[in-house]
């Protein structure tokens, strides 16, 4: 059995065909999935998915790429994180990829939002889902400054260097690989993936985006985390069952879920 540690089932591409998407999970032996919150207006939807389905879990948080959106307060995050199916805070982090011609200083709102998520996670004793793009040095610095090693979590859709992975693991974070690792162009990431021990690894789809080979370009869905798992097992030269068992155990451990 595989587990999709990061998907967006509330996005219209997936929610409008939810029965089929859930059936495909069962067919591909994907036992659980984590539905990840990206903003406050859609959060009730994400929460409801987890409430309605025993094998779905949810997060609460506001994505760093969402600009014209209500800011989450510390109190809001802590309150929502009390829900038994809200197992993690995020996705949060930094994303300087779309900074364009704006200055570093003008992105302070993103760093402030990130700090609020970390503080709420520490107060809630729940882990964090970290999104980082073109910003790994700042991401690691802020995690350190805020004491995120007390709670850990996951570096999701990991595309950074082996060095960044090692530093994050030292701080108690798991490293989660998406369909990107299956792409022919992802040679460096595949090398990093070989270096990340099975004990610290998660797998995800980030669906509806980033469909793995052989589905690249199509609308991704949680069932296809099985393709990510198969690819990594092959890359590491280990049996698929071993990869599936470790990454599933890691999921329950990372998100403190009693089976
Ligand atoms: Zn993300
Ligand atoms: Zn995401």
């Amino acid at each position: 059995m595989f587990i999709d540690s990061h998907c967006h089932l509330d996005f219209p591409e997936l929610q409008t065909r939810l029965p089929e998407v859930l059936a495909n999970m069962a067919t591909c032996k994907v036992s659980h999935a984590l539905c990840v919150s990206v903003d406050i207006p859609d959060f009730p939807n994400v929460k409801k998915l987890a409430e309605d389905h025993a094998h779905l879990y949810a997060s609460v948080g506001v994505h760093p790429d969402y600009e014209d959106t209500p800011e989450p307060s510390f109190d809001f995050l802590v309150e929502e994180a009390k829900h038994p199916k809200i197992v993690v805070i995020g996705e949060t982090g930094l994303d300087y990829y779309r900074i364009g011609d704006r200055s570093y200083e003008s992105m302070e709102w993103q760093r402030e939002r990130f700090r609020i998520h970390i503080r709420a996670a520490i107060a809630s004793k729940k882990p964090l889902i970290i999104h980082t793009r073109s910003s790994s040095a700042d991401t690691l610095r802020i995690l350190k400054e805020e004491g995120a090693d007390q709670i850990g979590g996951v570096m999701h859709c990991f595309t950074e260097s082996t060095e960044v992975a090692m530093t994050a693991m030292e701080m108690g974070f798991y490293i989660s690989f998406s369909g990107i690792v299956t792409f022919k162009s992802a040679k460096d990431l595949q090398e990093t993936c070989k270096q990340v021990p099975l004990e610290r690894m998660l797998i995800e789809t980030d669906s509806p985006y980033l469909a793995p080979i052989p589905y690249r370009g199509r609308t991704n869905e949680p069932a296809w985390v099985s393709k990510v798992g198969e690819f990594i097992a092959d890359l590491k030269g280990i049996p698929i069952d071993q990869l599936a068992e470790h990454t599933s155990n890691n999921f329950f451990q990372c998100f403190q879920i009693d089976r």
Side-chain angles (χ1 to χ4, degrees):
M1 288 297 204
F2 298 100
I3 296 181
D4 185 357
S5 74
H6 189 117
C7 63
H8 299 285
L9 277 186
D10 61 308
F11 287 16
E13 298 93 317
L14 295 172
Q15 184 134 34
T16 50
R17 41 185 279 267
L18 190 65
E20 181 196 347
V21 168
L22 296 179
N24 291 345
M25 279 175 66
T27 306
C28 292
K29 297 191 161 50
V30 177
S31 60
H32 300 77
L34 177 63
C35 304
V36 177
S37 162
V38 295
D39 65 7
I40 293 174
D42 278 337
F43 170 67
N45 237 337
V46 176
K47 181 161 71 171
K48 186 154 188 337
L49 281 164
E51 285 172 340
D52 289 351
H53 303 275
H55 65 312
L56 300 180
Y57 298 91
S59 75
V60 60
V62 179
H63 194 293
D65 277 346
Y66 285 59
E67 284 191 52
D68 299 314
T69 196
E71 281 300 326
S73 68
F74 171 88
D75 290 343
F76 169 80
L77 294 169
V78 168
E79 193 53 37
E80 292 296 343
K82 289 177 183 162
H83 191 291
K85 293 298 288 287
I86 308 290
V87 295
V88 54
I89 291 191
E91 59 184 293
T92 183
L94 300 174
D95 194 329
Y96 297 161
Y97 184 73
R98 292 189 183 82
I99 196 166
D101 45 20
R102 289 176 289 180
S103 67
Y104 175 85
E105 287 70 29
S106 73
M107 301 302 282
E108 188 55 32
W109 61 271
Q110 225 183 48
R111 293 184 285 274
E112 189 53 33
R113 184 189 287 175
F114 183 26
R115 289 183 190 276
I116 285 169
H117 281 81
I118 302 171
R119 290 169 197 165
I122 292 170
S124 305
K125 299 192 171 64
K126 298 228 167 161
L128 285 157
I129 301 171
I130 305 298
H131 169 111
T132 183
R133 195 172 184 200
S134 309
S135 57
S136 58
D138 261 15
T139 299
L140 292 173
R141 175 178 62 82
I142 290 175
L143 285 171
K144 223 164 255 164
E145 284 174 5
E146 295 289 339
D149 55 338
Q150 301 166 55
I151 39 160
V154 56
M155 305 296 284
H156 111 88
C157 196
F158 194 79
T159 54
E160 303 295 331
S161 66
T162 304
E163 200 187 341
V164 171
M166 295 301 162
T167 307
M169 286 189 283
E170 279 165 23
M171 294 176 67
F173 283 81
Y174 289 78
I175 308 296
S176 181
F177 293 95
S178 69
I180 293 177
V181 77
T182 71
F183 298 169
K184 279 197 180 62
S185 54
K187 293 288 171 241
D188 289 349
L189 186 60
Q190 289 162 7
E191 278 312 307
T192 298
C193 185
K194 283 190 204 167
Q195 308 286 323
V196 171
L198 270 183
E199 289 70 26
R200 303 302 298 174
M201 185 182 290
L202 294 174
I203 51 175
E204 67 174 77
T205 58
D206 207 5
S207 53
Y209 311 122
L210 299 170
I213 303 284
Y215 305 122
R216 193 170 178 182
R218 290 171 59 183
T219 300
N220 198 5
E221 57 179 81
W224 296 345
V225 78
S226 54
K227 293 293 166 200
V228 178
E230 284 167 18
F231 182 91
I232 295 175
D234 205 41
L235 185 71
K236 283 186 169 282
I238 58 171
I240 183 69
D241 289 350
Q242 193 183 344
L243 188 284
E245 190 185 322
H246 273 280
T247 53
S248 296
N249 287 341
N250 293 345
F251 177 86
F252 293 111
Q253 190 129 37
C254 178
F255 300 118
Q256 305 162 15
I257 298 168
D258 278 335
R259 281 204 255 189

